[in-house]
Amino acid sequence: MRPTDTLRRTQTLARSPEQVLDPADMGAARYTRHSFARSFLRTAAAQNWRVERERWDVDDAGRGEIVYRVVIGSHEVRFVVFSTTLIESDRTDRVIAKAWDVTGALIEGPLTESRANALRSQVPRQEEGRADDGTLIWTRANRSARFFDYVVDRLSEGTQPDITTMGDAAYILRSTAFYSNGKFGLADFDRLDAGHPLRLPYRAHMLTAWLLRELSYDLVEHCARARNPLSVRLSGDWRRYLGLGNATGLGMVPYVINHPHVLDAWCATRELPLAHALAQATTPADRRIHTAGDLLERATHYFRERADLATAPFVPCGELSSQLEPLRAMLAEYIASGTIGGEATTHAWRELHAQAATFGAEARSVMDSVIVEVHPQLDAEVEELLCCDQRQDVDPAQTCAQLRSVVRERYAWVRRFDFDDPDELTHFWFSSENNEEPRRGRRGIDPGENVEHPIDIARSVASLDRDLASTHDETPVAAFLVEHPWHRGIVARVQTLADVPYSEAHDNLLAEKFLPLNLQRFQLAMYGMDNYSPQSTDWLRVTLYSGAPRADDVAAGVDDDWIFTRKPRKDS
C-alpha cells in the first residue's frame, strides 16, 4: 500500500490494528461504498459501460450459447456463456462438481469461430480444461433449485414473484467459483497496463459476477416467454432486487493469511475513509446528516424484514434492527437540537460511532457503513490502495535485538495463546488431494499433517520469539538464520510487515475455538456480499448485487443508492 498524503494523514486518526484485526470485529464487517461490487458499479456507471447481447442461441429450456459484449470506452470484452440444465442429483455447489448449469468466460480480443470452438470445448470442463491467454476469468454457476423454476412459472402466468416465497436472500443463479490470474492458462493480470479498465484487483471478477446476475434475469424471462408469449418481465422493485447467490467455505480462510499486504490494503479501504469521516465537523443542517438519517431508517427496516434469516453465531437481524432504533433517535435529536444525549456536539459522526459501539460490533459496523456512505471524497484515492507489492524479504543485517523489538511490539497479541495447551494446536490446514482446495484437519486424527500449510502465524511468531530470547542482542539476523533456518519464512514476514499496520489477523488458526466464519465474513464484506447466513462454523451462504443497477441502468449512468435494499412490496 502506498497511500497519498491525504490518506497518510488519515492513518494517524484511524482505529488501531488491535481493534480492526480482532476476530470479533472482522466477523462483524458489512459492505461499504468501497467494497469491490460497489466501487466497480460506481465506476461503470460514471463511464457508461455498455452491455449488448451479441449472441442469444438458446432453446425453450434456456440451454444454449450466449455472448454479452461489454463496451468500456475504447476497450471491449465479452462474456461467453454455455448454459444447460442438470438433473438435480448432479447439481452441487461443491468444488468437486463435474458439471454446472452455467459455465462462462470473460475474454478480451475478437471472438472468431475457431476461438468460439475452443471455448466451447474447454470452458464447460473447468478444472480439466485449458484457457487461452486472452481469457481473464472462468466461472460457473447453478440454477437455484428453489427459485429458478418458480420465477419462470410466475412470469409465465403474468405475475411477479411472491416475496414470502422468495424469502430473505433471493437469487436465480448461484455462483460456485471464479478462476483467474494464470490458473488453467488464464491471462496474468500483471500484463494489464495502467489505463486498462479492469486493472484494479477484483474488477474483472466483479464484472463477471454482475454479468452472471444479468444473465439470470435474461434466462428466466426467456424461459417464461417460451412457455407463454404473453408472459411478463420482472418489473417494479423485482427488476433489480434479485441478486447472485453464493456460498463460501474453508477454502477462503488461508487467503488473507498468505497475502498480508492484501489484508492491509483491504482494511485500509475500510478504515481510512471511516477515519476521514469521523474527523469531519457537522451541523444539524448538513445534508449528509439528513441522508444518513434516511439510510439508518432504511437499515432498521432492512434488518427487521430479515428477522427469520439464520445468522447464528452472528447477531440476529431482528436484534440488530432493535439496536439501530436508539441510534436513529440520537440522529433525530441532533437534527432537531444539535445535541446527542443532551450534549451539544460539532462531531456527530464521532458520537454516533462511539454510541453504536456500546451496542456491539455489528451495530457499530452498520453505523460506520452509513457514515462512510455519505462521504465520497476519497473514492478515487482509496481504490488505488488495492494495488500491492507483496514481496517479502529478509534483512540479514538487522540485529536480533531489533528483530525481537519488532516481534514484541507488533505481535504482542500472540502472547494471548499458550502453545503448550493442546487446545491451541487442535487443527492443521492442508490442501485436499481430490480438489486442491484448502481444508482443515484434526491433528493426530486426520491424515495430511505431513503437508500442513504454513499459515500458523501465531505459533511461528511465538517460536521465533522464544529462540530470539536465547540469542545475543547484537547477533545479525543472517547468523541467527544459519543456526535456525526453519525461521526464515517468519523472519521475512515480520521484517517486511513491520510498518504495515493491518497485515495480520489477530487469531490462531490452529486453535480448537478458532471460528473460520469471522475471516470469511470479512472477505465477503470486502467483495460486497450480504445476507450472511452460516450453515455451520465452517461455511455460509450470501448474496451479491441485490438491488444493484442493471445493464441498461449503468449504460445510462445510473448508480443510485442501493445499500440496504428493501424487499419488494406486495404490489411490486
Side-chain angles (χ1 to χ4, degrees), residues 349-515:
W349 307 126
R350 190 180 299 159
E351 292 297 324
L352 290 165
H353 168 82
Q355 290 294 331
T358 66
F359 295 103
E362 292 252 18
R364 196 221 72 242
S365 188
V366 174
M367 189 71 248
D368 290 350
S369 292
V370 169
I371 292 170
V372 169
E373 186 70 22
V374 298
H375 288 85
Q377 300 93 329
L378 301 181
D379 285 356
E381 293 175 80
V382 166
E383 286 187 353
E384 292 300 320
L385 295 176
L386 297 174
C387 298
C388 306
D389 180 352
Q390 299 190 57
R391 290 174 296 180
Q392 296 183 27
D393 298 307
V394 169
D395 175 4
Q398 186 181 47
T399 67
C400 284
Q402 291 169 327
L403 177 58
R404 186 166 57 245
S405 177
V406 174
V407 168
R408 299 285 172 86
E409 180 179 347
R410 291 277 286 114
Y411 291 84
W413 56 274
V414 169
R415 293 197 289 275
R416 298 202 308 261
F417 309 113
D418 176 9
F419 289 102
D420 291 327
D421 181 351
D423 285 348
E424 296 294 352
L425 298 169
T426 299
H427 295 111
F428 67 93
W429 293 75
F430 65 103
S431 286
S432 166
E433 184 177 358
N434 291 337
N435 53 46
E436 300 181 356
E437 285 285 307
R439 292 290 180 264
R440 185 168 64 155
R442 295 187 73 85
R443 199 175 301 279
I445 298 174
D446 296 322
E449 283 188 63
N450 59 316
V451 289
E452 180 174 357
H453 287 183
I455 59 174
D456 55 334
I457 304 306
R459 179 175 64 170
S460 295
V461 167
S463 176
L464 171 63
D465 189 35
R466 188 165 52 247
D467 285 343
L468 285 171
S470 59
T471 303
H472 192 276
D473 285 355
E474 298 307 313
T475 301
V477 163
F480 173 79
L481 289 178
V482 168
E483 297 297 324
H484 306 81
W486 54 90
H487 286 315
R488 188 189 186 286
I490 196 63
V491 167
R493 186 180 182 105
V494 169
Q495 290 180 323
T496 302
L497 302 179
D499 297 318
V500 183
Y502 299 129
S503 53
E504 301 284 17
H506 291 187
D507 212 342
N508 172 24
L509 275 65
L510 310 181
E512 171 71 29
K513 65 180 181 180
F514 170 69
L515 185 63

Side-chain angles (χ1 to χ4, degrees), residues 302-323:
Y302 171 88
F303 291 111
R304 185 178 301 142
E305 289 175 347
R306 287 160 177 77
D308 294 331
L309 182 68
T311 60
F314 303 134
V315 174
C317 289
E319 181 180 336
L320 183 54
S321 176
S322 298
Q323 292 173 350

Side-chain angles (χ1 to χ4, degrees), residues 76-133:
E76 67 178 34
V77 295
R78 286 174 173 82
F79 185 43
V80 183
V81 176
F82 304 98
S83 177
T84 188
T85 54
L86 302 177
I87 61 173
E88 193 57 34
S89 60
D90 288 342
R91 187 178 294 123
T92 175
D93 291 340
R94 297 284 304 280
V95 72
I96 59 174
K98 297 298 182 183
W100 304 268
D101 289 313
V102 171
T103 54
L106 186 71
I107 69 170
E108 290 192 295
L111 181 59
T112 62
E113 190 56 35
S114 63
R115 191 177 188 193
N117 285 333
L119 292 168
R120 194 175 293 123
S121 69
Q122 297 296 317
V123 174
R125 299 174 65 196
Q126 294 287 293
E127 280 90 348
E128 296 179 356
R130 288 296 176 265
D132 64 42
D133 62 3

Side-chain angles (χ1 to χ4, degrees), residues 162-180:
D162 175 69
I163 190 58
T164 303
T165 302
M166 296 298 288
D168 295 317
Y171 57 87
I172 301 169
L173 292 180
R174 60 183 181 277
S175 59
T176 66
F178 295 90
Y179 294 122
S180 63

